[in-house]
Each structure stands twice: as C-alpha cells, then as structure tokens.
Amino acid sequence: QLCVSTDPGVKLRITKNGIEYANKVAHAEIVKQLKALSIPEQSGQDGHLSYNIYNIRFTNLVPPASSISLVPGSNGISWALSNFAISVEADWRVKYKKGIVGVSVSGLNVAETAGFGIDGTGRPSIASKGCSCSIGSVGISFHGGTAFILNLFRKTVERKMREAFPPKICEAVVKVINNEAEKSLSTMVVTVDVAKRFLVDYRLVAPPAITADYIEIWDKGEVFWKADVKEAPFSPQPIPAWTDNSRMLYIWVTDYTPNTFFYQAHTNGYLKYNVTKKDLPDDRESYLNTTCTLKCIGTIIPQIGWKYPNSVVEFGLRTSAVPKATMSANTLTAELSSLVDMMVRTPSNELVFLATLNVNLSLTVQPNVVNQNLNGKITDYSFKLTLEKSAIGPLFPSVLNTVINGVLSFVVVPKLNVIAAKGVQLPMVGDVQFSNTMLLLQEGNLLIGTDLQYKVDNVLRFQGDQYRVIQL
C-alpha cells in the first residue's frame, strides 16, 4: 500500500536542460521507429479503376525537428515533430498494367501530448493522451504503364498515402511514449534493500508535478525494518526553495531518511556490537590484552591487569536512545548515545563484568555520490563519557577516554566506514548515469545536482543541434 505524507523525504527535479536531453534521446528513438515504418497494402476501386498498391517499402527519411515542452495545466508534456519527410517505394497494379511507384511525403508535422501518473508499484508512469499528424505535400513518380492510366491513378495514390501515413506515424510516436518511455520509468528504483534488514522506500507520494520550468517527483524517502514495516513517529520537514536549474537533475535527500533508519535500527535492537580481539587490525592485536610488555588495556587500567592477568577485554556496545542525524550548511553529523559494557574473558573462557559507561558519540560524515549511489566517510569524531557503574573500583575519566578512543579509532570508526562506503542507491531509472555532479549540504537536507548520460546501445554523438546514431 502506498504511504502518503505531506512532504517528501526525497525529491527529484528534472529541469528544462534535463527535458532537452530527454528530447534528444526521444528523437533518436522516433527516427528508429520511423525508419521501421510499415504501411499496409492499399487496394480498392476508384470509379471504373481497380487498383492494388503493395510491397510498400521505406527508402528515405528526412528526420524531424523535435521539441518537448512542459504543460502544467494538464500535468504533462507536449512533443512536437516538425517538417520531416518520408519516401517509400511500392509495386502497383491497375487491371493488366503494373509497375513501381515512388511516393515522397513531405511537410509532415506531429503533435503528441502525454500525461504523468503513478503506477501500481509507486513508480512514475507516462501515457499518451493524444496524437495528431498533418501532411504538407505528396510527390508521386511512376515507372511503367501508360500515361492515360497513370494520370487517372495519380490522385488515387496521393489520397491513399495521405490516409495511410498519419495513423502509422502516430502509432510510432505513441509507441515511443507508451512503450519506450514507460519502460524506462518502470526501471526506476523505488525500494532498496540495505544490510538485508532494512528497506528504503522511494515510492511516490503524489503524481509527478509539472511547472513551466521543471518536473518534480516526490518520494517517500523512509527507511523501514523489513521484518516489521511500521511508520516512524515523525514526518519530513518542508524542503526549502531552490532557484538554480542549470543542471539536468536535482535530488534532495532530507534528514528524514537517515533519521528513519536510526529509528528503525534502534527500535529493533540493530545498533549493537561486541568488540573482541578479532576485530583489531594486525598492528593493534594486543590492545585488548590485560598482560603486555608495552601498551594495552592491562597497562592503561592497571587494576584490570593485576586482577585478570593473561586475559582479553571485550566491549558490548548498544545505543541507549534513538540516534539523530543533523544536516546543516556544509556539515552532516550523527549523534549517538550508547551504553558500553566492559567485560574480561579469562583464560578459562569465563566472561566477567568490569564496568558500564555512558558514551555520547558525535560523528562528522562527508557524503559523496559514486555511480548513482550516495555514500559517506567519517572524517572526524568526538565523545563524552561518564561511568555508570564499576566492579573494579574507581576509574579515572582520562583513563577511560584513552580506552574508548582506542576502541573507536581501531574498530568502530573503520567498521562504520566500510558500511558507509557501500552507500545506498538513489531513486534513478536504470538507463541513465550521472556526470558533472555536485553535492551541497544545507539546513535539513543534502542536495545533489547533476547532468545525465543515457546508457543505451546506441551512443549519441552530438554536433551542435545535429547528431548521428552510432551502433556499437
């Protein structure tokens, strides 16, 4: 069931530059469709003249000029194809005479309108709302037959071609909209699996909105616990206005998205981890030992080394409250309140409680976009701690700071960075990729501005307003 929210957690804006790029892609597709145009056999009787026009085959195409404009009033687009020409050749037969006729249809103009909506999967959809086609002139050239018959036949051929071409051309145009464009939109990512436990929901909360300058798509942008899908008890905040539309696409990811992840992760007990010796890098493998020759926990906190020699300390970490992500100008931070249980594993494999600490951790994260994925890296961290309880007597804050800093720098932060580097897929269709991408942190949201490149088997080579299609 589609979940509807007042404001989106994630918003996409396709600008006029993006529409113009889509126009070039649509133009390449309609040229392909027009070259494959199939005109059915034409036959009948005109007065006393029985005729048959058959084996109609394409010979040449003068491509159309193409433009797509936004139509806010009907929440759709208008696609205009103008001043193009198609030439075909056909066999003809009139009574006992037969030959070949060449037909050139020029001054062709097409007007197509299409509207946007939401399909049953929460993706944007597009469908044709109407197509019209007009013909300027029809040129006829016959080969074979006699002048008398051909003069009678010329008007018939012209009329039949004027009748035959418009529906077939509109059929090709509608196919680009209803098949190719709709197929492209059907590949849009609307749910993303994260760590096999979470689901990022990018389904639309409203039909795409059309203005005079752009198309906007509002996505839910909420993270759910897969095993028990429940709404978070808070909603996205409005996304501030943005006036720069120089790039083809803009994506806003609000702090609602990471905060719903934190809510679900904490509520379902996901944010916990036991740090053991196996988690340490090779050059720090002795850090959790209680007995060592240089620096380890046994020398940093001597009473542990004295009481539990030849043992290894372990840490049980768990969040004590829902963490919070905050996006502000040029800064993304995550605040985590956690309880840390210090325990020691003795040579007999007994696990003994040492102390519990309250640790408030602040992480500074640098976000990045790679291959349509939003990922990040922890660039800095700080923490404050207090001693909740101790089974080994007084523990000085400076000593505990040293221990926890080691656990964070050697284990926790590197492991979080591995997860953050994997990132999460953005809600894009499968046949485009980003180029010339910028990322901006703002109050309450992260903004990605990018141009697009179309991933198709045909590579578009643009030369000013002209281009050719190169088959790979």
Side-chain angles (χ1 to χ4, degrees), residues 273-280 288 312-315 345 411:
Y273 189 76
N274 290 329
V275 177
T276 65
K277 189 173 183 178
K278 66 179 176 59
D279 295 308
L280 293 169
L288 297 182
V312 180
V313 173
E314 298 180 4
F315 292 85
R345 191 169 295 279
V411 179

Side-chain angles (χ1 to χ4, degrees), residues 279-417:
D279 295 308
L280 293 169
D282 292 341
D283 60 343
R284 303 287 182 176
E285 62 180 1
S286 64
Y287 182 74
L288 297 182
N289 291 351
T290 60
T291 302
C292 62
T293 56
L294 294 173
K295 186 177 182 180
C296 63
I297 285 183
T299 60
I300 297 171
I301 307 177
Q303 60 263 49
I304 296 178
W306 300 333
K307 192 171 183 179
Y308 300 101
N310 302 313
S311 301
V312 180
V313 173
E314 298 180 4
F315 292 85
L317 287 66
R318 65 191 187 279
T319 52
S320 55
V322 177
K324 183 179 181 181
T326 302
M327 296 176 179
S328 57
N330 301 315
T331 305
L332 170 56
T333 58
E335 307 288 335
L336 297 89
S337 297
S338 60
L339 291 172
V340 179
D341 293 323
M342 292 177 59
M343 297 160 289
V344 63
R345 191 169 295 279
T346 66
S348 62
N349 205 33
E350 181 185 6
L351 197 60
V352 181
F353 172 78
L354 299 175
T356 297
L357 313 175
N358 282 308
V359 179
N360 294 320
L361 175 63
S362 177
L363 302 171
T364 301
V365 181
Q366 177 61 54
N368 193 23
V369 177
V370 178
N371 297 329
Q372 292 77 252
N373 275 29
L374 178 62
N375 59 27
K377 181 180 181 181
I378 299 169
T379 57
D380 196 11
Y381 68 89
S382 62
F383 65 91
K384 295 180 180 179
L385 64 80
T386 57
L387 179 62
E388 179 78 9
K389 57 183 176 180
S390 172
I392 52 175
L395 293 169
F396 294 108
S398 59
V399 172
L400 293 176
N401 281 339
T402 300
V403 171
I404 294 302
N405 190 56
V407 171
L408 290 172
S409 62
F410 302 154
V411 179
V412 176
V413 170
K415 285 190 175 295
L416 290 176
N417 272 333

